[in-house]
Amino acid sequence: MENETSLPLADWPRPQFAAGGNNPFLFYVVFGRVDFAQPLSRIAYRTEGIPEGVELMGYSPTVHPDVVSGFRSGFLWDRLISTDPELAAQIAAQDSCLVIRGEVDDPPTLNYFRDVSGLLTFCLDAGGVAIYDPQMFKWWRPSEWRARAFDSGQSALHEHVVTLVSEDADGTEWYHTRGLRKFGRPDISVHRVRAEHRTAIVELINRFIELLASGGRVPDGQEIRMHALPAGMTCWRKGSSDDPDFNNEHIEIVWPDSQVGHP
């Protein structure tokens, strides 16, 4: 029988890849004591291990315990307590965590993401009780992670980016994503969305998530062409990784001046 170590893993393609984008940045926290004595199957978990540029760091009662408790504070933690107290209690009971964090040179495939996704799944199977993804404000239960992020065998790009909706000052809505920095691409922002355009804007954002996560790039001034949206909407690169709304650069999609005006 052929040895598992010699069997190639299926590539995760990046069909829209255009060189010159930013480096993907990954940041995950696994709560619980992970038993690395358990065998990590390359084939079962679809992983070659930790990609170059990414680090795995462990924290425990004897190694910077303040790091473990530090993730369990603030608005996102308080929200988890109110929305999923059972999961919050399981996380609160842990005295250890792993942090997977780092940058990968702008890659032409999503194999780096395949490798980290598989590693995270192994960590859950080997003692982890939850995954925290601060880039998309998400706390993952093991069963949810497997069902939505791993079991399909594909990159499941849309599961790793969240679209948030906030109220704008004029009573319209602001649609904005978080999570595309994992793919080295800017997030998306559309201000001043009226009720009649909600469905079309969601479809537009989903198209952009697919394009950008697959490695595409959007030039400044790119015009939006959708029958359900007014002509003349354009795209403009803004922000930086220091922007607290995105922790990333973003593409601001601007309504034509005749419609709403430039934000």
Side-chain angles (χ1 to χ4, degrees):
M1 180 180 294
E2 192 170 9
N3 191 298
E4 179 183 289
T5 59
S6 66
L7 295 173
L9 298 177
D11 287 334
W12 278 10
R14 211 174 186 196
Q16 304 297 327
F17 179 72
N22 293 336
N23 292 337
F25 174 73
L26 301 178
F27 186 7
Y28 294 97
V29 182
V30 181
F31 286 92
R33 296 195 176 191
V34 176
D35 179 10
F36 282 102
Q38 295 190 28
L40 196 169
S41 165
R42 289 176 61 255
I43 302 304
Y45 290 103
R46 300 189 298 270
T47 183
E48 298 286 5
I50 303 171
E52 185 174 353
V54 177
E55 294 182 320
L56 189 154
M57 297 160 284
Y59 301 95
S60 68
T62 58
V63 181
H64 297 294
D66 55 306
V67 174
V68 183
S69 59
F71 291 118
R72 298 186 297 232
S73 62
F75 169 75
L76 295 176
W77 175 247
D78 292 342
R79 188 174 69 177
L80 179 67
I81 291 173
S82 64
T83 58
D84 194 342
E86 180 183 12
L87 180 60
Q90 291 175 347
I91 295 170
Q94 307 307 311
D95 63 5
S96 302
C97 73
L98 294 174
V99 174
I100 297 174
R101 190 176 189 273
E103 283 191 4
V104 180
D105 289 341
D106 190 26
T109 73
L110 291 170
N111 290 354
Y112 76 95
F113 198 68
R114 176 205 66 198
D115 291 343
V116 170
S117 295
L119 180 61
L120 287 166
T121 307
F122 167 80
C123 288
L124 292 177
D125 289 349
V129 302
I131 295 172
Y132 174 42
D133 177 355
Q135 296 201 86
M136 64 176 287
F137 295 165
K138 175 69 176 175
W139 304 84
W140 291 92
R141 285 178 169 270
S143 58
E144 184 187 18
W145 172 267
R146 270 201 165 271
R148 292 175 52 189
F150 185 77
D151 283 349
S152 71
Q154 306 297 318
S155 53
L157 300 175
H158 289 273
E159 301 295 345
H160 300 281
V161 182
V162 64
T163 300
L164 305 171
V165 183
S166 310
E167 186 174 342
D168 261 332
D170 62 358
T172 58
E173 292 176 324
W174 175 33
Y175 283 67
H176 49 114
T177 67
R178 286 187 61 97
L180 278 163
R181 193 177 174 194
K182 299 169 191 169
F183 306 103
R185 295 300 184 264
D187 277 288
I188 303 298
S189 171
V190 191
H191 281 276
R192 300 168 184 166
V193 177
R194 295 173 174 154
E196 62 267 28
H197 292 134
R198 287 172 181 159
T199 300
I201 289 298
V202 170
E203 180 183 348
L204 176 67
I205 288 174
N206 285 335
R207 291 184 186 182
F208 268 100
I209 290 172
E210 189 74 26
L211 168 69
L212 292 165
S214 296
R217 300 180 64 197
V218 178
D220 270 355
Q222 174 71 51
E223 187 170 347
I224 301 297
R225 296 180 177 88
M226 279 184 65
H227 291 304
L229 292 171
M233 298 178 73
T234 51
C235 302
W236 301 95
R237 187 80 160 255
K238 296 181 180 293
S240 71
S241 59
D242 297 326
D243 184 340
D245 287 328
F246 302 93
N247 296 119
N248 191 16
E249 296 177 348
H250 68 275
I251 295 171
E252 190 70 40
I253 300 178
V254 179
W255 300 90
D257 291 341
S258 60
Q259 278 281 316
V260 185
H262 197 287

